[in-house]
Amino acid sequence: MKTEKFTSEIATLKKFYELYCKDNHENQTCNKVNLEYHFEKFEYEFELCQECQTLLEYSLARLKECPHDEKPRCRTCPTPCYEKPQWKQVAKLMRYSG
């Protein structure tokens, strides 16, 4: 996946996770996340509770490892990489935020 698509996906995750967490959880803290993708370094700030932060880190790891040049939507991916429990949590979050 191209770097532009990667940064776009991160921006979408940021919006969706923060909206869901703000509306459904308490005790959000500002967390900095450093990522490296295709030898470029990125730093993001997310304001999330610990539960959402843990799930976000899982999503980011899956995104970094996506094997597709043209990243499909996760729900239509021919080779899903999310484990079932995390998939259900993220699907719920995405439905709410979308």
Side-chain angles (χ1 to χ4, degrees):
M1 150 178 37
K2 294 182 179 176
T3 303
E4 297 81 23
K5 177 67 172 169
F6 179 77
T7 57
S8 171
E9 291 288 326
I10 298 290
T12 300
L13 288 174
K14 178 177 175 53
K15 286 180 199 172
F16 280 31
Y17 270 83
E18 287 182 337
L19 175 64
Y20 179 82
C21 188
K22 180 181 141 229
D23 290 354
N24 293 284
H25 299 138
E26 296 178 357
N27 301 321
Q28 289 87 5
T29 59
C30 187
N31 302 290
K32 288 187 179 184
V33 176
N34 295 304
L35 298 171
E36 187 172 318
Y37 187 74
H38 289 263
F39 305 106
E40 289 188 51
K41 294 183 180 187
F42 302 92
E43 181 176 282
Y44 297 94
E45 287 187 11
F46 297 91
E47 194 156 330
L48 302 170
C49 70
Q50 186 57 51
E51 178 184 345
C52 288
Q53 182 68 27
T54 301
L55 188 59
L56 172 71
E57 289 170 4
Y58 180 84
S59 293
L60 294 174
R62 303 282 47 93
L63 181 62
K64 281 179 57 176
E65 300 301 320
C66 182
H68 302 286
D69 289 332
E70 293 293 323
K71 184 189 173 311
R73 293 181 134 188
C74 291
R75 69 179 161 169
T76 61
C77 183
T79 55
C81 60
Y82 277 76
E83 297 293 326
K84 194 73 160 182
Q86 289 86 349
W87 170 253
K88 287 182 178 182
Q89 286 180 293
V90 172
K92 177 183 172 184
L93 184 148
M94 293 293 176
R95 269 193 308 275
Y96 178 88
S97 298

